[in-house]
Short mmCIF file of all heavy atoms in Angstrom, two decimals:
data_model
loop_
_atom_site.label_atom_id
_atom_site.label_comp_id
_atom_site.label_asym_id
_atom_site.label_seq_id
_atom_site.Cartn_x
_atom_site.Cartn_y
_atom_site.Cartn_z
N LYS A 1 0.82 -1.21 0.00
CA LYS A 1 0.00 0.00 0.00
C LYS A 1 0.86 1.26 0.00
O LYS A 1 0.39 2.35 -0.30
CB LYS A 1 -0.91 0.01 1.24
CG LYS A 1 -1.96 -1.08 1.26
CD LYS A 1 -2.82 -0.97 2.51
CE LYS A 1 -3.88 -2.06 2.54
NZ LYS A 1 -4.70 -1.99 3.77
N ARG A 2 2.12 1.11 0.40
CA ARG A 2 3.01 2.26 0.53
C ARG A 2 4.32 1.99 -0.20
O ARG A 2 4.71 0.85 -0.37
CB ARG A 2 3.32 2.53 2.02
CG ARG A 2 2.10 2.63 2.89
CD ARG A 2 2.47 2.40 4.36
NE ARG A 2 1.26 2.25 5.17
CZ ARG A 2 0.58 1.12 5.31
NH1 ARG A 2 1.00 0.03 4.70
NH2 ARG A 2 -0.50 1.08 6.05
N THR A 3 4.97 3.05 -0.59
CA THR A 3 6.33 2.95 -1.11
C THR A 3 7.17 4.02 -0.43
O THR A 3 6.64 5.09 -0.11
CB THR A 3 6.38 3.16 -2.64
OG1 THR A 3 5.75 4.39 -2.96
CG2 THR A 3 5.69 2.04 -3.37
N PRO A 4 8.46 3.76 -0.21
CA PRO A 4 9.14 2.51 -0.54
C PRO A 4 8.83 1.42 0.47
O PRO A 4 8.24 1.68 1.52
CB PRO A 4 10.62 2.91 -0.44
CG PRO A 4 10.63 3.97 0.63
CD PRO A 4 9.35 4.74 0.43
N ILE A 5 9.25 0.21 0.14
CA ILE A 5 9.09 -0.93 1.06
C ILE A 5 10.47 -1.44 1.46
O ILE A 5 11.48 -1.08 0.85
CB ILE A 5 8.28 -2.07 0.41
CG1 ILE A 5 9.01 -2.64 -0.83
CG2 ILE A 5 6.89 -1.59 0.01
CD1 ILE A 5 9.78 -3.88 -0.59
N THR A 6 10.50 -2.26 2.46
CA THR A 6 11.73 -2.98 2.78
C THR A 6 11.38 -4.38 3.25
O THR A 6 10.24 -4.66 3.63
CB THR A 6 12.57 -2.26 3.85
OG1 THR A 6 13.90 -2.81 3.85
CG2 THR A 6 11.99 -2.42 5.25
N THR A 7 12.36 -5.25 3.19
CA THR A 7 12.22 -6.60 3.74
C THR A 7 12.97 -6.66 5.07
O THR A 7 13.87 -5.87 5.33
CB THR A 7 12.78 -7.65 2.77
OG1 THR A 7 14.09 -7.24 2.33
CG2 THR A 7 11.89 -7.79 1.56
N MET A 8 12.60 -7.61 5.90
CA MET A 8 13.23 -7.80 7.20
C MET A 8 13.31 -9.28 7.54
O MET A 8 12.43 -10.04 7.16
CB MET A 8 12.44 -7.10 8.32
CG MET A 8 12.68 -5.63 8.49
SD MET A 8 11.71 -4.98 9.90
CE MET A 8 12.48 -5.85 11.29
N PHE A 9 14.34 -9.64 8.26
CA PHE A 9 14.40 -10.94 8.92
C PHE A 9 14.36 -10.70 10.42
O PHE A 9 15.18 -9.95 10.95
CB PHE A 9 15.69 -11.70 8.57
CG PHE A 9 15.68 -12.33 7.21
CD1 PHE A 9 16.54 -11.88 6.22
CD2 PHE A 9 14.82 -13.37 6.92
CE1 PHE A 9 16.54 -12.45 4.96
CE2 PHE A 9 14.81 -13.95 5.67
CZ PHE A 9 15.68 -13.49 4.68
N THR A 10 13.42 -11.31 11.11
CA THR A 10 13.38 -11.19 12.57
C THR A 10 13.82 -12.49 13.24
O THR A 10 13.89 -12.56 14.46
CB THR A 10 11.96 -10.83 13.06
OG1 THR A 10 11.13 -11.99 13.05
CG2 THR A 10 11.34 -9.74 12.21
N SER A 11 14.11 -13.51 12.42
CA SER A 11 14.59 -14.79 12.95
C SER A 11 15.37 -15.49 11.86
O SER A 11 15.33 -15.10 10.68
CB SER A 11 13.43 -15.66 13.43
OG SER A 11 12.64 -16.07 12.32
N ARG A 12 16.08 -16.53 12.26
CA ARG A 12 16.79 -17.37 11.30
C ARG A 12 16.57 -18.83 11.68
O ARG A 12 16.46 -19.17 12.85
CB ARG A 12 18.30 -17.06 11.30
CG ARG A 12 18.64 -15.66 10.78
CD ARG A 12 20.14 -15.40 10.80
NE ARG A 12 20.45 -14.07 10.32
CZ ARG A 12 21.68 -13.56 10.24
NH1 ARG A 12 22.74 -14.30 10.61
NH2 ARG A 12 21.87 -12.33 9.79
N GLY A 13 16.54 -19.67 10.66
CA GLY A 13 16.36 -21.10 10.90
C GLY A 13 14.91 -21.50 10.96
O GLY A 13 14.08 -20.77 11.51
N CYS A 14 14.60 -22.64 10.37
CA CYS A 14 13.22 -23.15 10.38
C CYS A 14 13.22 -24.57 10.92
O CYS A 14 13.93 -25.45 10.41
CB CYS A 14 12.64 -23.14 8.96
SG CYS A 14 10.96 -23.80 8.86
N PRO A 15 12.43 -24.85 11.97
CA PRO A 15 12.44 -26.19 12.58
C PRO A 15 11.60 -27.21 11.83
O PRO A 15 11.63 -28.40 12.17
CB PRO A 15 11.85 -25.92 13.96
CG PRO A 15 10.91 -24.77 13.75
CD PRO A 15 11.57 -23.91 12.70
N TYR A 16 10.84 -26.77 10.83
CA TYR A 16 9.96 -27.70 10.13
C TYR A 16 10.74 -28.50 9.08
O TYR A 16 11.84 -28.12 8.68
CB TYR A 16 8.78 -26.96 9.52
CG TYR A 16 7.91 -26.33 10.58
CD1 TYR A 16 7.99 -24.96 10.85
CD2 TYR A 16 7.04 -27.10 11.35
CE1 TYR A 16 7.21 -24.38 11.85
CE2 TYR A 16 6.27 -26.53 12.34
CZ TYR A 16 6.36 -25.16 12.59
OH TYR A 16 5.60 -24.60 13.59
N ARG A 17 10.16 -29.60 8.64
CA ARG A 17 10.88 -30.56 7.81
C ARG A 17 10.20 -30.80 6.47
O ARG A 17 10.15 -31.95 6.00
CB ARG A 17 11.02 -31.88 8.57
CG ARG A 17 11.71 -31.77 9.92
CD ARG A 17 13.21 -31.65 9.77
NE ARG A 17 13.88 -31.43 11.05
CZ ARG A 17 15.20 -31.41 11.21
NH1 ARG A 17 15.96 -31.59 10.15
NH2 ARG A 17 15.73 -31.19 12.39
N CYS A 18 9.69 -29.77 5.85
CA CYS A 18 9.09 -29.93 4.52
C CYS A 18 10.14 -30.51 3.58
O CYS A 18 11.28 -30.02 3.52
CB CYS A 18 8.60 -28.58 3.99
SG CYS A 18 7.35 -27.80 5.04
N THR A 19 9.77 -31.54 2.84
CA THR A 19 10.76 -32.26 2.04
C THR A 19 11.22 -31.49 0.81
O THR A 19 12.23 -31.85 0.21
CB THR A 19 10.17 -33.61 1.58
OG1 THR A 19 8.95 -33.37 0.85
CG2 THR A 19 9.89 -34.52 2.76
N PHE A 20 10.49 -30.43 0.43
CA PHE A 20 10.84 -29.69 -0.78
C PHE A 20 11.66 -28.44 -0.48
O PHE A 20 12.03 -27.70 -1.39
CB PHE A 20 9.56 -29.27 -1.52
CG PHE A 20 8.64 -28.40 -0.69
CD1 PHE A 20 8.76 -27.03 -0.71
CD2 PHE A 20 7.66 -28.97 0.10
CE1 PHE A 20 7.91 -26.23 0.05
CE2 PHE A 20 6.81 -28.20 0.86
CZ PHE A 20 6.94 -26.82 0.84
N CYS A 21 11.95 -28.18 0.79
CA CYS A 21 12.57 -26.91 1.18
C CYS A 21 13.78 -27.18 2.05
O CYS A 21 13.77 -28.05 2.91
CB CYS A 21 11.55 -26.05 1.93
SG CYS A 21 12.23 -24.48 2.53
N ASP A 22 14.84 -26.41 1.82
CA ASP A 22 16.01 -26.51 2.70
C ASP A 22 16.82 -25.23 2.59
O ASP A 22 17.03 -24.70 1.51
CB ASP A 22 16.88 -27.71 2.31
CG ASP A 22 17.90 -28.04 3.38
OD1 ASP A 22 17.66 -27.67 4.55
OD2 ASP A 22 18.92 -28.66 3.06
N ARG A 23 17.24 -24.72 3.74
CA ARG A 23 18.15 -23.58 3.80
C ARG A 23 19.31 -23.99 4.70
O ARG A 23 19.40 -23.55 5.84
CB ARG A 23 17.44 -22.34 4.36
CG ARG A 23 16.25 -21.88 3.53
CD ARG A 23 15.55 -20.70 4.19
NE ARG A 23 14.32 -20.36 3.56
CZ ARG A 23 14.18 -19.43 2.62
NH1 ARG A 23 15.24 -18.78 2.22
NH2 ARG A 23 13.00 -19.16 2.10
N PRO A 24 20.21 -24.81 4.19
CA PRO A 24 21.23 -25.40 5.05
C PRO A 24 22.17 -24.38 5.67
O PRO A 24 22.75 -24.63 6.73
CB PRO A 24 21.98 -26.35 4.10
CG PRO A 24 21.72 -25.80 2.73
CD PRO A 24 20.34 -25.25 2.78
N HIS A 25 22.34 -23.24 5.02
CA HIS A 25 23.25 -22.23 5.56
C HIS A 25 22.70 -21.56 6.81
O HIS A 25 23.45 -20.92 7.56
CB HIS A 25 23.59 -21.19 4.50
CG HIS A 25 22.41 -20.41 4.00
ND1 HIS A 25 21.29 -21.01 3.45
CD2 HIS A 25 22.17 -19.07 3.98
CE1 HIS A 25 20.43 -20.07 3.11
NE2 HIS A 25 20.93 -18.90 3.41
N LEU A 26 21.38 -21.71 7.06
CA LEU A 26 20.76 -21.08 8.24
C LEU A 26 20.39 -22.10 9.31
O LEU A 26 20.02 -21.72 10.42
CB LEU A 26 19.51 -20.29 7.83
CG LEU A 26 19.76 -19.11 6.87
CD1 LEU A 26 18.44 -18.44 6.52
CD2 LEU A 26 20.72 -18.11 7.47
N GLY A 27 20.44 -23.38 8.99
CA GLY A 27 20.21 -24.42 9.97
C GLY A 27 18.74 -24.65 10.28
O GLY A 27 17.85 -23.94 9.80
N LYS A 28 18.47 -25.68 11.06
CA LYS A 28 17.12 -26.04 11.46
C LYS A 28 16.76 -25.53 12.86
O LYS A 28 15.65 -25.73 13.33
CB LYS A 28 16.96 -27.57 11.42
CG LYS A 28 16.84 -28.12 10.00
CD LYS A 28 15.56 -27.64 9.34
CE LYS A 28 15.37 -28.22 7.96
NZ LYS A 28 14.15 -27.66 7.29
N SER A 29 17.69 -24.89 13.51
CA SER A 29 17.43 -24.35 14.84
C SER A 29 16.82 -22.96 14.72
O SER A 29 17.41 -22.06 14.11
CB SER A 29 18.75 -24.29 15.64
OG SER A 29 18.56 -23.60 16.86
N PHE A 30 15.63 -22.78 15.28
CA PHE A 30 14.96 -21.48 15.22
C PHE A 30 15.62 -20.52 16.20
O PHE A 30 15.70 -20.77 17.40
CB PHE A 30 13.48 -21.65 15.57
CG PHE A 30 12.71 -20.36 15.63
CD1 PHE A 30 12.42 -19.66 14.47
CD2 PHE A 30 12.28 -19.84 16.84
CE1 PHE A 30 11.71 -18.47 14.51
CE2 PHE A 30 11.57 -18.65 16.90
CZ PHE A 30 11.28 -17.96 15.73
N ARG A 31 16.13 -19.42 15.67
CA ARG A 31 16.79 -18.39 16.48
C ARG A 31 16.11 -17.06 16.20
O ARG A 31 16.04 -16.64 15.05
CB ARG A 31 18.28 -18.33 16.14
CG ARG A 31 19.05 -19.60 16.50
CD ARG A 31 20.34 -19.71 15.71
NE ARG A 31 20.10 -19.93 14.30
CZ ARG A 31 20.69 -19.25 13.32
NH1 ARG A 31 21.55 -18.29 13.61
NH2 ARG A 31 20.43 -19.52 12.06
N ALA A 32 15.64 -16.42 17.23
CA ALA A 32 14.81 -15.23 17.03
C ALA A 32 15.41 -14.00 17.69
O ALA A 32 16.04 -14.09 18.75
CB ALA A 32 13.40 -15.47 17.57
N ARG A 33 15.20 -12.87 17.07
CA ARG A 33 15.54 -11.58 17.68
C ARG A 33 14.46 -11.21 18.68
O ARG A 33 13.30 -11.63 18.57
CB ARG A 33 15.64 -10.51 16.60
CG ARG A 33 16.76 -10.76 15.60
CD ARG A 33 16.60 -9.92 14.34
NE ARG A 33 16.48 -8.50 14.67
CZ ARG A 33 16.12 -7.57 13.78
NH1 ARG A 33 15.79 -7.92 12.54
NH2 ARG A 33 16.04 -6.31 14.14
N SER A 34 14.81 -10.40 19.64
CA SER A 34 13.84 -9.97 20.64
C SER A 34 12.84 -9.00 20.00
O SER A 34 13.12 -8.35 18.98
CB SER A 34 14.53 -9.28 21.81
OG SER A 34 15.09 -8.04 21.39
N ALA A 35 11.67 -8.92 20.61
CA ALA A 35 10.64 -8.01 20.10
C ALA A 35 11.13 -6.57 20.09
O ALA A 35 10.89 -5.82 19.13
CB ALA A 35 9.38 -8.14 20.95
N LEU A 36 11.85 -6.14 21.13
CA LEU A 36 12.35 -4.77 21.19
C LEU A 36 13.32 -4.50 20.05
O LEU A 36 13.28 -3.44 19.41
CB LEU A 36 13.03 -4.51 22.53
CG LEU A 36 12.11 -4.36 23.74
CD1 LEU A 36 12.94 -4.20 25.02
CD2 LEU A 36 11.18 -3.17 23.58
N ASN A 37 14.20 -5.46 19.77
CA ASN A 37 15.18 -5.30 18.70
C ASN A 37 14.49 -5.20 17.34
O ASN A 37 14.87 -4.39 16.49
CB ASN A 37 16.16 -6.47 18.73
CG ASN A 37 17.29 -6.31 17.74
OD1 ASN A 37 17.30 -6.97 16.70
ND2 ASN A 37 18.27 -5.48 18.05
N VAL A 38 13.46 -6.02 17.13
CA VAL A 38 12.72 -6.00 15.87
C VAL A 38 12.06 -4.64 15.66
O VAL A 38 12.17 -4.04 14.58
CB VAL A 38 11.66 -7.12 15.86
CG1 VAL A 38 10.71 -6.96 14.67
CG2 VAL A 38 12.33 -8.49 15.82
N VAL A 39 11.39 -4.15 16.67
CA VAL A 39 10.65 -2.90 16.51
C VAL A 39 11.62 -1.71 16.48
O VAL A 39 11.34 -0.69 15.83
CB VAL A 39 9.59 -2.75 17.61
CG1 VAL A 39 8.75 -1.48 17.38
CG2 VAL A 39 8.65 -3.97 17.60
N ASP A 40 12.76 -1.82 17.13
CA ASP A 40 13.80 -0.79 16.98
C ASP A 40 14.21 -0.64 15.52
O ASP A 40 14.39 0.47 15.01
CB ASP A 40 15.04 -1.15 17.81
CG ASP A 40 14.87 -0.85 19.30
OD1 ASP A 40 13.89 -0.17 19.67
OD2 ASP A 40 15.71 -1.33 20.09
N GLU A 41 14.35 -1.78 14.82
CA GLU A 41 14.71 -1.72 13.40
C GLU A 41 13.59 -1.08 12.58
O GLU A 41 13.84 -0.28 11.68
CB GLU A 41 15.04 -3.10 12.86
CG GLU A 41 15.47 -3.08 11.39
CD GLU A 41 15.85 -4.42 10.84
OE1 GLU A 41 16.06 -5.37 11.62
OE2 GLU A 41 15.96 -4.54 9.59
N MET A 42 12.35 -1.46 12.90
CA MET A 42 11.23 -0.83 12.19
C MET A 42 11.24 0.68 12.38
O MET A 42 11.06 1.46 11.43
CB MET A 42 9.91 -1.42 12.70
CG MET A 42 9.64 -2.85 12.27
SD MET A 42 8.09 -3.46 12.98
CE MET A 42 7.84 -4.95 12.03
N GLU A 43 11.48 1.11 13.61
CA GLU A 43 11.48 2.55 13.90
C GLU A 43 12.63 3.25 13.18
O GLU A 43 12.47 4.37 12.68
CB GLU A 43 11.58 2.78 15.40
CG GLU A 43 11.25 4.20 15.82
CD GLU A 43 10.94 4.30 17.31
OE1 GLU A 43 11.53 3.55 18.10
OE2 GLU A 43 10.10 5.15 17.67
N ALA A 44 13.78 2.59 13.10
CA ALA A 44 14.91 3.16 12.35
C ALA A 44 14.56 3.30 10.87
O ALA A 44 14.94 4.28 10.22
CB ALA A 44 16.15 2.28 12.53
#
């Protein structure tokens, strides 16, 4: 609805095991940023 846009990652790693998907460089361990850190980036 607005421009410009940006993309964000608030976590890395996916614990699910879908057979068609793999991101080996990020691992299967879910690692998340804190809510404050995420919204700090949005505010920036």
Side-chain angles (χ1 to χ4, degrees):
K1 294 181 180 179
R2 308 159 190 84
T3 54
I5 63 99
T6 196
T7 49
M8 278 182 65
F9 283 113
T10 78
S11 67
R12 294 180 180 179
C14 178
Y16 296 102
R17 303 283 175 174
C18 300
T19 56
F20 59 90
C21 178
D22 194 23
R23 300 177 188 265
H25 62 304
L26 297 179
K28 285 295 183 184
S29 172
F30 176 71
R31 295 159 292 132
R33 296 164 55 191
S34 68
L36 287 176
N37 186 256
V38 170
V39 184
D40 282 348
E41 182 177 346
M42 289 178 167
E43 194 162 33

